[in-house]
Amino acid sequence: MEKILISSCFLGNKVRYDGKAKALVHPQISTWQQQGRLVVVCPEVAGGLSVPRAKAEQQAGKVINNLGQDVSAEFQHGADLALQLCQRYNIRYALLKEYSPSCGSHEIYDGNFNDTKIKGQGVTAKLLTANNVEVYSELNIAQLIVKITHPNNAEQV
Ligand code: SF4
């Protein structure tokens, strides 16, 4: 059965920097959960950061929080652990939170902490993509559903 790596905050877990969740309410998520497909990760917590934690954004190849601290190592460690999960469970698809400096797959914040978004990938999304894991977000979950349920994938499901 095709497993899917999923952002922990999507499942209602309060792991975000602000101590809150970002639940993704979708019937397919419940179905996948019941089927045992979901492998849950919060890369930032896995990487050693606390809840809550200072807001962080990518700046010139590093991840800096709004206290001016370089948290690149924690972000990279979390990304490495997420990739290890994918390798352990032969995961080819991930559903990760858009705009996150870890999980964003198409857009992230620009590093100035003024809510400006730019094209780019979070640290984890980038590493997974480079290792042939397709990363989807709440914005294109419909495409992931097709991937998982399309008849052409039937032999892998
Ligand atoms: Fe959610 Fe990813 Fe941020 Fe963790 S790192 S809170 S899983 S968006």
Side-chain angles (χ1 to χ4, degrees), residues 7-9 15-17 41-44 53 97 100 102-103:
S7 288
S8 179
C9 56
V15 290
R16 279 166 42 101
Y17 72 93
V41 68
C42 173
E44 292 173 25
R53 54 190 172 277
K97 177 77 188 75
S100 154
S102 288
C103 293

Side-chain angles (χ1 to χ4, degrees), residues 2-147:
E2 189 89 57
K3 288 189 179 289
I4 303 162
L5 190 78
I6 187 167
S7 288
S8 179
C9 56
F10 275 162
L11 295 182
N13 296 318
K14 297 178 178 177
V15 290
R16 279 166 42 101
Y17 72 93
D18 56 5
K20 297 178 181 174
K22 200 73 177 180
L24 179 57
V25 179
H26 192 294
Q28 192 65 52
I29 300 284
S30 305
T31 300
W32 285 339
Q33 201 165 16
Q34 288 163 11
Q35 292 172 337
R37 288 187 190 272
L38 300 182
V39 175
V40 184
V41 68
C42 173
E44 292 173 25
V45 171
L49 296 171
S50 61
V51 181
R53 54 190 172 277
K55 191 174 186 178
E57 297 188 0
Q58 292 191 40
Q59 292 179 3
K62 295 182 177 179
V63 187
I64 308 295
N65 68 22
N66 60 8
L67 303 175
Q69 298 163 331
D70 185 342
V71 287
S72 303
E74 288 86 348
F75 272 64
Q76 189 60 52
H77 185 46
D80 291 341
L81 293 173
L83 178 59
Q84 285 176 26
L85 280 175
C86 292
Q87 292 168 338
R88 184 184 312 161
Y89 294 105
N90 295 316
I91 290 173
R92 301 187 302 161
Y93 303 108
L95 180 62
L96 303 183
K97 177 77 188 75
E98 196 62 275
Y99 313 124
S100 154
S102 288
C103 293
S105 51
H106 294 88
E107 287 191 309
I108 54 175
Y109 290 101
D110 74 351
N112 292 309
F113 297 99
N114 61 5
D115 288 335
T116 303
K117 294 166 187 161
I118 55 172
K119 285 191 184 304
Q121 286 191 304
V123 177
T124 294
K126 192 172 185 179
L127 183 65
L128 297 188
T129 301
N131 285 274
N132 302 314
V133 177
E134 294 181 24
V135 181
Y136 295 82
S137 77
E138 68 274 29
L139 303 181
N140 61 358
I141 185 175
Q143 292 176 30
L144 177 58
I145 292 169
V146 170
K147 284 273 184 178

